[in-house]
Structures are given as structure tokens and as C-alpha cells.
Amino acid sequence: MSRSSAETIGVRYTGWAALDRDPLEDLVEFNCPHCGAHGAKAARRPRSEYHFTDGFIQDLQGEMSACRNCKQSLRISPVVMLHDQGEQRRFHAVFADLEVSKN
């Protein structure tokens, strides 16, 4: 059985960007490309495996997850780590109009 999964961008907030959350809570947040629902899952990789590319620290290997709203499988790649409020604003400005391919 061959099932394809849609890709989406995941965001992992750390440092100043994550001031409003529990320090022990390390989540990757994403939006489902199928239904548009906001989702989150526990981060699987340690922060030391992230690399600096394209102006952001990224995990290019990605992670797999499923949307809790529509139950569709999806691949979260890249996972972008944002450390402060300036990076958070810059990320949203760059990726605000991004259309993710459904390959």
C-alpha cells in the first residue's frame, strides 16, 4: 500500500521566542496542509543536530506526524528553530505567502 504524505514547515521556539510556555515543553508547531488546523508534537531531535542554513537554524531531515483534526499523514520538513522575537518576525515575513507543494 502506497500512501503519500504532504509536506509542511515546522517551527520550534526556544529562548526569548518561547517565553510564554513551560520550559520543559519542547514542541514543534505546524499547520496541516490538508485542513489548515494548527498542530503540535513533541520535538524528537536534540537542538545540537540543527544546522544554520538560509538565515535560520534548520533540521532538514524533518519528522513525520499525523494531523489530529483530519487524521492525514504529513511530513514536517524543514523544522526551523527560532530563538528570539526578531527571528520570529523575520520568519513569518519570509514564509507568510509560502505555498507548500503537495507532492
Side-chain angles (χ1 to χ4, degrees), residues 48-69:
S48 62
E49 291 187 19
Y50 285 64
H51 303 287
F52 187 77
T53 57
D54 298 335
F56 296 105
I57 298 175
Q58 298 183 11
D59 174 14
L60 298 176
Q61 294 176 1
E63 299 186 15
M64 293 298 292
S65 184
C67 177
R68 292 184 179 163
N69 190 35

Side-chain angles (χ1 to χ4, degrees), residues 15-37:
W16 289 102
L19 283 179
D20 60 341
R21 85 168 43 153
D22 182 11
L24 298 176
E25 192 175 68
D26 196 6
L27 299 175
V28 175
E29 298 178 6
F30 59 90
N31 288 326
C32 178
H34 300 288
C35 65

